[in-house]
């Protein structure tokens, strides 16, 4: 076999860190297990009656789909036995989730178990996003403060993309590596080593149906991208409606993804801790950039678990240009 498996890559990364104990590798391996389980559930959802809404709303007053709940349960379950993860937090849970028993592990994990879940019923791409921090407090169990660290402090971050192929893309502070699942044997293989976001090419992605909710500057900025009046020139629009899928395309082909703030929703829709910050770390390690329209996403100090943020992410020049235009 000529290609690294995902687990071999973890071991390889770990060997470069003096004193590493293998705990991060174990955590990442478990994430890949959650990803394989969720990919399987998505594939079977139509057969087993798991499409559609549950009728409930989550903590952010958004409609919950059966697969959101199931994916969240899978994450909870796979980390049950991994006590290196002290506690977890997720889009689908209002507060930090504590496992029973003593968990003095040094990491906390935060995730969006199923991003883009409105695509479920349309057989569209979706993903899971994860962010790992080392605890910054040393009490007997993790506290909210361990989760409210800026993105620049992330130890590792990435996502699992459930598209035509399932992919695991992550960085632990070095290169961004992308792995593709060979479904026949249930193993991820390195297919995209050292991913770099191309410059001067690619599409722009934004939900233009929200235009009436934007301020004048945002409208004018997006219009320049639409009319090809940015440094990069003429380009196409693309919008999957699943951040992971839109980001993955941007990572591979270049360009920019935007979710601006709105008149009634100043910070837009996306969440800082389990959408913006992890993807911003991936973007940075791939040579790209991410801002909230003013500051680099990775420098934002979170004040709450489910904090929202405007997001401009992708090729460095595009993100810098968009940010400049927004500042006026
Ligand atoms: P989630 O499914 O985790 O709630 O996230 C949905 C997000 C994100 O995936 C996507 O980019 C965005 O919502 C799309 O929002 P609009 O439908 O407002 O464009
Ligand atoms: Mn999401
Ligand atoms: Mn979600």
């Amino acid at each position: 076999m000529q290609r690294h498996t995902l687990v071999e890559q973890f071991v390889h990364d770990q060997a470069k860190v003096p004193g590493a104990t293998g705990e991060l590798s174990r955590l990442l391996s478990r994430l890949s297990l959650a990803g394989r389980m969720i990919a399987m559930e998505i594939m079977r959802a139509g057969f087993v009656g798991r499409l559609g809404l549950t009728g409930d709303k989550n903590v952010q007053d958004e409609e919950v789909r059966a697969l959101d709940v199931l994916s969240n349960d899978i994450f909870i379950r796979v980390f049950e036995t991994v006590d290196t993860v002290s506690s977890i937090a997720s889009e689908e849970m209002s507060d930090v989730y504590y496992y029973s028993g003593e968990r003095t592990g040094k990491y906390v994990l935060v995730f969006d178990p199923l991003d883009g879940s409105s695509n479920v019923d349309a057989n569209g791409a979706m993903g899971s996003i994860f962010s790992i921090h080392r605890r910054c407090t040393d009490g007997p169990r993790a506290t909210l403060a361990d989760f409210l660290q800026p993105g620049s402090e992330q130890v590792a971050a990435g996502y699992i993309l459930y598209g035509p192929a399932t992919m695991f893309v992550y960085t632990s502070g070095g290169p961004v590596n992308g792995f593709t699942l060979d479904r026949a044997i249930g193993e991820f293989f390195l297919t995209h080593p050292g991913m770099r976001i191309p410059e001067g090419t690619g599409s722009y992605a934004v939900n233009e149906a929200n235009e009436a909710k934007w301020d004048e500057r945002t409208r004018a900025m997006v219009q320049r991208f639409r009319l090809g009046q940015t440094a990069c020139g003429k380009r196409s629009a693309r919008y999957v409606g699943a951040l992971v899928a839109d980001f993955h395309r941007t990572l591979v082909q270049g360009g920019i993804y935007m979710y601006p703030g709105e008149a009634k929703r100043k910070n837009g829709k996306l969440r800082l801790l389990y959408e913006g910050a992890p993807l911003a770390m991936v973007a940075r390690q791939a040579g790209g950039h991410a801002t909230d329209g003013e500051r680099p996403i990775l420098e934002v100090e979170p004040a709450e678990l489910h904090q929202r943020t405007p997001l401009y992410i992708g090729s460095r020049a595009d993100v810098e240009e968009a940010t400049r235009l927004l500042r006026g």
Side-chain angles (χ1 to χ4, degrees):
M1 185 64 61
Q2 73 285 33
R3 291 189 163 137
H4 265 67
T5 65
L6 187 54
V7 171
E8 284 168 344
Q9 185 68 41
F10 299 150
V11 173
H12 180 266
D13 289 354
Q14 180 192 321
K16 292 192 183 150
V17 184
T21 55
E23 286 169 272
L24 183 61
S25 303
R26 173 117 199 277
L27 197 173
L28 290 164
S29 303
R30 280 269 144 175
L31 280 170
S32 89
L33 175 60
R36 280 172 287 160
M37 291 168 78
I38 294 169
M40 187 58 73
E41 294 295 346
I42 291 172
M43 259 191 323
R44 293 193 324 197
F47 299 123
V48 296
R50 282 226 185 84
L51 297 176
L53 303 168
T54 60
D56 294 333
K57 296 210 167 168
N58 68 12
V59 56
Q60 357 218 350
D61 209 30
E62 292 165 345
E63 292 177 319
V64 174
R65 291 181 157 72
L67 276 176
D68 285 321
V69 177
L70 184 61
S71 304
N72 195 58
D73 288 346
I74 287 175
F75 269 91
I76 293 176
R77 237 186 308 135
V78 303
F79 287 100
E80 199 110 51
T81 55
V82 186
D83 49 16
T84 187
V85 175
S86 176
S87 55
I88 60 176
S90 147
E91 176 189 351
E92 302 301 337
M93 301 188 284
S94 47
D95 299 308
V96 172
Y97 179 92
Y98 293 102
Y99 290 97
S100 56
E102 199 168 314
R103 303 270 292 212
T104 53
K106 62 181 171 196
Y107 296 113
V108 292
L109 168 70
V110 55
F111 51 88
D112 179 348
L114 195 57
D115 172 70
S117 56
S118 67
N119 277 353
V120 164
D121 298 355
N123 194 15
M126 288 164 279
S128 302
I129 311 175
F130 59 87
S131 160
I132 301 164
H133 280 278
R134 195 170 283 112
R135 282 186 57 189
C136 58
T137 64
D138 54 12
R141 64 175 204 174
T143 65
L144 187 57
D146 295 307
F147 290 89
L148 301 183
Q149 302 186 58
S152 55
E153 297 297 318
Q154 289 171 105
V155 172
Y159 57 87
I160 305 146
L161 170 65
Y162 313 111
T166 296
M167 289 192 68
F168 191 105
V169 177
Y170 85 103
T171 176
S172 49
V176 176
N177 289 314
F179 298 77
T180 304
L181 180 64
D182 182 337
R183 286 205 175 104
I185 54 174
E187 186 70 83
F188 283 99
F189 289 99
L190 180 62
T191 48
H192 296 62
M195 297 174 86
R196 306 290 299 170
I197 304 187
E199 291 288 334
T201 178
S203 47
Y204 78 99
V206 63
N207 186 345
E208 294 191 287
N210 290 331
E211 193 178 56
K213 304 174 190 164
W214 300 336
D215 64 18
E216 229 6 88
R217 274 199 189 148
T218 307
R219 243 177 261 167
M221 181 275 290
V222 172
Q223 188 177 37
R224 290 178 81 122
F225 278 89
R226 181 164 59 236
L227 299 179
Q229 293 168 344
T230 60
C232 184
K234 190 78 196 125
R235 60 214 312 172
S236 282
R238 291 284 184 275
Y239 196 71
V240 176
L243 174 63
V244 173
D246 281 307
F247 176 76
H248 184 73
R249 181 196 56 253
T250 308
L251 175 60
V252 171
Q253 300 181 340
I256 184 167
Y257 172 91
M258 327 185 199
Y259 209 111
E262 299 166 356
K264 289 198 183 138
R265 223 168 30 168
K266 196 171 69 52
N267 291 322
K269 177 180 189 187
L270 300 177
R271 277 61 50 109
L272 176 62
L273 288 182
Y274 42 84
E275 292 178 320
L279 298 186
M281 180 177 184
V282 172
R284 182 191 66 194
Q285 296 307 114
H289 193 41
T291 75
D292 65 359
E294 289 174 27
R295 304 159 290 178
I297 289 283
L298 292 173
E299 287 174 16
V300 178
E301 297 269 354
E304 54 190 23
L305 210 48
H306 299 288
Q307 183 167 329
R308 295 184 193 257
T309 180
L311 182 65
Y312 303 87
I313 189 166
S315 301
R316 177 164 281 278
D318 282 335
V319 173
E320 283 175 349
E321 187 165 6
T323 308
R324 225 176 16 249
L325 290 167
L326 286 171
R327 283 197 193 120

